[in-house]
Amino acid sequence: MARLLYRIGSTAYRRWPFFIAGWLLLAVIVGSLAAAFSKPMTDSFTIPGIPSEQAADIQKELFPDTGDAFDDATVNIVVAAPEGHTLAEPHYQAAIQHLIGEVPTLPQTAAENPQLVAPVAAAEGTPPGAVTLSGDGRIGVLSFTWDVKSPSDLKTTTVDDLKDLLTETTDDTGLVATANGPGMAVMEPPGGSAELLGLGIALIVLVLTFGSLLAAGMPLLNAVFGVGLGMTGITAMTAVMDVGSSTPMLATMIGLAVGIDYTLFILARYRTELHHTDDRAHAAGIAVGTAGSAVVFAGLTVLIALSALAVVRIPFLTAMGLAAAATVFVAVMVALTLLPALLGLTKSWAFRGQVRKYEPKRDEHGRVENNGVRWARVLAKAPVAWALGVVLLLGALAAPITQMYLAFPTDSTASSDTTQRQASDLMTEAFGPGREGPLVVVVDGRDIANDDQRQAAFDKVVAWAGAQDDVASADLVATNASYDENGTPTGVGTGAIIQVTPSSGPDEPATLDLLEALRNGQGAIESDTGTTVGVTGLTAITTDVSDRLNNALPVYLAVVIGLAFILLVLVFRSILIPLTATLGFLLSVLATLGATVAIFQEGAFGIFEGQPIVSFMPVFLIGVVFGLAMDYQVFLVTRMREAHVHGLPMHEAVIDGFRNSARVVTAAATIMIAVFAGFILEDDAIIKSMGFALAASIIFDAFIVRMVLIPSVLYLLGEKAWWLPAWLDRILPNVDIEGESLERTSGPVHVGKGDEDRELVSV
């Protein structure tokens, strides 16, 4: 592999116009495909085969006009008069009528919206679910639906216009006016303050690392180009598969981070090679052949971890994984080909624009004495203590994971300063917490021939559902009966929809217990009535998705860790090093989940308001963190193995690995943390928690596991770290990640040129 990558790197350097033109042409082609064939992104979290999906399919058969729960773009405008007043007062009635008149004039609304009516008070015969005015007359709800196919089609400006209208109503009348519902959930597109903050910090770190403005800009340019191409490709992917609206944000997180890191590693190695040869094309080839080999295998671990999300057979998660994997693949290819092409373009200017000179101390043999070397020697003095300390620290951080509660975010768990949460609190005050998370019971009576028997069966199901614990109300809200021109039913329909309103909120355990109780009693009520019964609705669907995610986790772990373990055995030609790398990953991911639970769910330190952890967090986090963790394992330990292959004993090889890689790995991890942490500033709760978890995982894995635990364990293992059964050694192909097969031109080291990675060893 090293020889192949050498040829790619040196050829890209010499023939840089063709490579740069090729990448630009590819960008134009992908952009054209996206513009011509892309479709809107979706917010569907459904999984074929789950109970709620089966019930929804029956509902669509009986009620063909029924839409997907995740395509609902309904908005609930909640209005409240001040304490001691009611909405019936003329002043507030005028404001409500103003709202009713102005909403249809907003963008993306129908000219007439019959759903937007004045709040309805409770009356005899009115189903509780249809009541939109509180008992004291102070709080009311006005509902309407945007004229879009799904919330993903909504524009941010449309929702902003509605918020402005609500603010205008509040300011002019003293009325409280807020809004929630699926029609208020608009995902901001990538390219905002989060990315800019991450890129800004990355630029500072790169300038400090290379001491050159031009060199610092290359990883950023490569990463931004790669992410831009990846995002365009994701848009084009919508032509052939459903892509979630949050997918671009997550792919941007990972694409920016690895794009900068991969380019950084190769560029740092290129600068090192310039101190051994004056042939820049040869130096570029050596850099791509050595550091590029590590990039390829590091990228493969990320691709395995992300692509394996398809194994759990969850469509929206598969799309996330494949989109992010595609972005990582682009990042690898950009680092291997576009970077050496840019080096060919800039030639001797690549490290111009210096802002500092680096003149490290050297030992009596001329080897660099940097902080990496000093830290490695500190670890060598007490490896047992350091290893035990890491295990105890990460174990303590992982402790809160026992309290982890997984669910999908709802308006009731949104930040208290959002209009969604304020509207949710008012609705809970007026109608109870279950109003926002009703369960939909679908009754199929097509096997019952007699109208009277069907009606009796529907009534029995209503009574059965209403008798369950934690039920506030159970109402027959629709049948598929046909009606004459006067609105009189001509017969009892073959299907019915029963709305079950829990006494608890949609994210509370009592509601999940109610869902389980309904399903456990399903068989008995079907036998008693001769009907087919199913439970669906948004709450049921998200609960089923969460259950499927939890059940899929062990399978996913087995596939990812198994494949990556084989890959690492191939890279390091060792059994124990991949084993310790995997165990270190488990420690870091458990600590990350524990810290996320403490900060986001339990509200530790008051940084964030407590809310459930989004259901797909563990699976996605494991995939991403495993891939990124193996990046640092590959980059750091391959330099140790390279030194060992060239004759250094294990103790010195660990130190030499830190001498040549610690500074670059530290810079790469710092950049990645900055990129991920920037997403904590996003408004979306999912993206915010993801950004925190990914940033925390890099801190734990790069700085604690890879920089402390792994070298300590390698010191303890000594030469045994490279143990490999003889039979396995014979059948494993030699991938030459250290570049042993490459011919290198020996040359003097130009002391004082500002390179912390340079060596005095002729290689």
Side-chain angles (χ1 to χ4, degrees), residues 1-2 5 287-298 336 634 735-737:
M1 173 175 284
L5 293 178
V288 175
T290 53
S293 295
V295 164
V296 168
F297 281 97
L336 295 178
V634 169
V735 296
D736 189 21
I737 196 171

Side-chain angles (χ1 to χ4, degrees), residues 75 77 106 144 146 158-166 184:
V75 175
I77 298 178
L106 293 172
F144 74 96
W146 296 112
T158 296
V159 176
D160 288 341
D161 287 345
L162 174 59
K163 291 179 180 178
D164 291 341
L165 176 60
L166 298 178
M184 293 296 291

Side-chain angles (χ1 to χ4, degrees), residues 375-377 379-380 383-384 386-387 390 580 633 636-637 640 650-651 654-655 658 701-718:
W375 176 245
R377 289 173 178 163
L379 296 176
V384 174
W386 284 107
V390 168
T580 57
Q633 179 79 12
L636 194 58
V637 180
M640 297 177 188
M650 189 61 184
H651 184 278
V654 172
I655 294 175
F658 269 77
D701 200 272
F703 293 122
I704 298 179
V705 171
R706 308 301 153 190
M707 292 286 195
V708 181
L709 179 62
I710 295 301
S712 298
V713 171
L714 292 180
Y715 280 133
L716 294 173
L717 291 175

Side-chain angles (χ1 to χ4, degrees), residues 446-470:
R446 285 176 289 188
D447 292 337
I448 304 175
N450 184 279
D451 280 4
D452 292 337
Q453 290 177 340
R454 273 202 303 272
Q455 185 62 58
F458 295 160
D459 293 340
K460 272 190 177 182
V461 177
V462 172
W464 163 75
Q468 304 295 323
D469 292 337
D470 198 52

Side-chain angles (χ1 to χ4, degrees), residues 236-247:
M237 282 173 59
T238 59
V240 294
M241 64 185 298
D242 290 335
V243 178
S245 59
S246 61
T247 299

Side-chain angles (χ1 to χ4, degrees), residues 426-757:
L426 286 172
M427 290 183 70
T428 297
E429 178 185 344
F431 311 110
R435 180 65 174 266
E436 292 191 276
L439 300 173
V440 177
V441 177
V442 181
V443 187
D444 183 357
R446 285 176 289 188
D447 292 337
I448 304 175
N450 184 279
D451 280 4
D452 292 337
Q453 290 177 340
R454 273 202 303 272
Q455 185 62 58
F458 295 160
D459 293 340
K460 272 190 177 182
V461 177
V462 172
W464 163 75
Q468 304 295 323
D469 292 337
D470 198 52
V471 173
S473 65
D475 309 294
L476 181 64
V477 295
T479 65
N480 61 351
S482 57
Y483 297 86
D484 62 21
E485 58 184 12
N486 298 319
T488 303
T490 58
V492 177
T494 57
I497 295 177
I498 299 168
Q499 181 171 293
V500 179
T501 304
S503 299
S504 306
D507 60 322
E508 295 183 39
T511 301
L512 306 186
D513 293 340
L514 170 59
L515 174 61
E516 185 177 1
L518 288 170
R519 285 178 172 162
N520 289 339
Q522 218 170 286
I525 193 64
E526 287 177 338
S527 299
D528 188 29
T529 60
T531 61
T532 299
V533 176
V535 185
T536 186
L538 193 58
T539 300
I541 292 172
T542 55
T543 300
D544 289 344
V545 171
S546 297
D547 290 343
R548 178 67 67 87
L549 285 164
N550 293 337
N551 294 334
L553 189 56
V555 177
Y556 175 68
L557 269 175
V559 171
V560 170
I561 292 179
L563 290 176
F565 184 86
I566 294 172
L567 182 65
L568 291 176
V569 169
L570 183 65
V571 171
F572 295 120
R573 305 190 73 80
S574 162
I575 296 294
L576 296 179
I577 287 181
L579 182 61
T580 57
T582 303
L583 293 176
F585 151 74
L586 291 175
L587 278 175
S588 61
V589 79
L590 289 175
T592 299
L593 288 172
T596 305
V597 168
I599 298 295
F600 273 88
Q601 179 181 309
E602 304 300 324
F605 310 116
I607 302 175
F608 301 105
E609 297 180 32
Q611 57 182 293
I613 303 300
V614 65
S615 295
F616 59 83
M617 166 77 83
V619 170
F620 193 82
L621 183 68
I622 286 170
V624 174
V625 173
F626 187 82
L628 299 181
M630 295 306 106
D631 277 4
Y632 298 117
Q633 179 79 12
V634 169
F635 288 129
L636 194 58
V637 180
T638 50
R639 291 308 295 262
M640 297 177 188
R641 177 169 171 75
E642 184 175 345
H644 185 67
V645 166
H646 286 97
L648 290 181
M650 189 61 184
H651 184 278
E652 290 300 319
V654 172
I655 294 175
D656 198 66
F658 269 77
R659 172 183 289 114
N660 293 304
S661 294
R663 184 179 180 86
V664 180
V665 168
T666 299
T670 302
I671 290 169
M672 200 169 277
I673 291 166
V675 171
F676 290 151
F679 287 87
I680 299 174
L681 302 178
E682 294 291 328
D683 294 330
D684 184 78
I686 295 177
I687 300 302
K688 190 187 293 285
S689 60
M690 278 290 191
F692 172 85
L694 290 171
S697 70
I698 301 302
I699 294 173
F700 297 148
D701 200 272
F703 293 122
I704 298 179
V705 171
R706 308 301 153 190
M707 292 286 195
V708 181
L709 179 62
I710 295 301
S712 298
V713 171
L714 292 180
Y715 280 133
L716 294 173
L717 291 175
E719 296 298 324
K720 295 177 182 177
W722 307 110
W723 173 76
L724 186 69
W727 63 268
L728 185 57
D729 187 43
R730 286 193 299 270
I731 65 175
L732 281 180
N734 184 7
V735 296
D736 189 21
I737 196 171
E738 296 84 17
E740 292 179 78
S741 61
L742 298 180
E743 296 180 3
R744 307 192 189 184
T745 304
S746 299
V749 173
H750 305 291
V751 179
K753 289 285 179 114
D755 188 358
E756 67 274 23
D757 291 329

